[in-house]
Amino acid sequence: MRSRTPQHAALARLERRGAQLLIGGLTVEEVCARAGRTPVYAYDRTAIAGRVAELRAVLPREMHLHYAVKANPMPELVREMAALVDGFDVASAGELSVALAGGMAPARISFAGPGKRAAELEAAVAAGITVHAESERELGELARIGRTLQRRPAVALRVNPDFELKSAGMKMGGGPAQFGIDAEQVPEVLASFDTGALDFRGFHIFAGSQNLSAAAIIEAQNRTIDLAERLAAAAPGPVRELNIGGGFGIPYFPGEQPLELAPVGENLGQLARRCRASLPQATLIVELGRYLVGEAGYFICRVIDRKVSRGRVFLVTDGGLHHHLAASGNFGQVIRKNYPVVIGNRMDATEREAASVVGPLCTPLDVLAANMELPRAMPGDLVVVLQSGAYGLTASPRGFLSHPEPAELLVP
Ligand SMILES: *Cc1c(COP(=O)(O)O)cnc(C)c1O
């Protein structure tokens, strides 16, 4: 029997002109010329709009789609996104500024995340956004700030669910966590919720991230609605916003298959119908980061040196883990696997070899591709890491070794 090496699913959708990879209709060299330097992160505008359209086609019409800004807070991209989605979720006062500057209406912005500082909560209340309270301390602070600013802060409770998103790349619920208020404590917190000082908006239940299994996502969504209905019975007023999280993943590694959206959309349709009866005033919200922007992003770096060390080929580039920690395998991977990588100016090459793509840092962790089959590449060639639109630049230790910052571009 012949065994086939599993492929990277993302390679199947690439377009090229001659030897050149196309990104948003531009060749990879044109993208670098426009940026004026390498490395560069390029985000394909059309791909982002296309992804949102695909989602809209399967989501129930009344369901709101939010963008989790932390996935990619590039201001120009955030501005683009403001016109495409129904709201933003931010995780800091810094992201709140980007969201507001991007043109999103404050009433459609929510702020979740542990350890919000007083100044951040003040900025949120002053802006009139919804704060997802992660603790009783935050509820007390919000009431105090509301009195000072003579506002009644809009507040939803972030709930740490009593279940997990199975087979998620990153679990965020089910056990003890710094996120949210434990589901079993929520009724007690609701009993003392100060409705004079605070405007109760509803619940935020986020169970996990980077999931490629429709069945697992459906199960978590069903349990999320069960939990929300139970908690609503103890609420001080009607639930008006119910953020059910997201967790939709994208394929990064060989053999991974894209998430099947149709069954997820169908299940959400059923849940939306059910909520019309059980939570009639609630706007249902899915919040997605990676799924909206991850596949639209390309990290491009240039080969500086080609070395052969004891029979192994190393392509040393001007980009590395300080720009793209996730591709190096040091952002939550247990066993390092290669992201999909191509040589962007040798897309028609027939001569291939096993090579490792490494960055310029003085650490063996600085690997963008380990022992991968690639076209034979030379100094000056362009290495392109796919699936790089989410948790790329701002999720990387950019200060490490004091190299210049990569450029970021929205194309075309
Ligand atoms: C990070 C985060 C998201 C976005 O997760 P993705 O995997 O990028 O979709 C959504 N909601 C909350 C609360 C988060 O912390």
Side-chain angles (χ1 to χ4, degrees), residues 332-350:
Q333 279 189 47
V334 181
I335 300 165
R336 193 194 174 285
K337 295 180 198 156
N338 288 329
Y339 269 45
V341 168
V342 299
I343 306 297
N345 60 316
R346 292 188 188 267
M347 298 298 286
D348 60 351
T350 50

Side-chain angles (χ1 to χ4, degrees), residues 10 17 19 38 45 64 99 154 167 187 225 250 298 320 336 355 406:
R17 185 184 303 146
T38 55
R45 223 186 273 275
H64 281 206
S167 62
I225 300 298
I250 62 171
Y298 301 77
R336 193 194 174 285

Side-chain angles (χ1 to χ4, degrees), residues 68 70-71 158 172 204 206 209-210 247 287-290 391:
K70 78 168 181 288
R158 167 92 178 264
M172 310 254 308
H204 177 200
F206 179 77
S209 180
Q210 178 48 22
E287 54 171 352
L288 298 172
R290 183 192 319 268
Y391 306 106

Side-chain angles (χ1 to χ4, degrees), residues 46-56 250 291-293 295:
T46 316
I48 294 170
R51 180 45 65 90
V52 171
E54 272 172 52
L55 272 165
R56 298 282 194 196
I250 62 171
Y291 194 76
L292 298 182
V293 294
E295 303 206 275

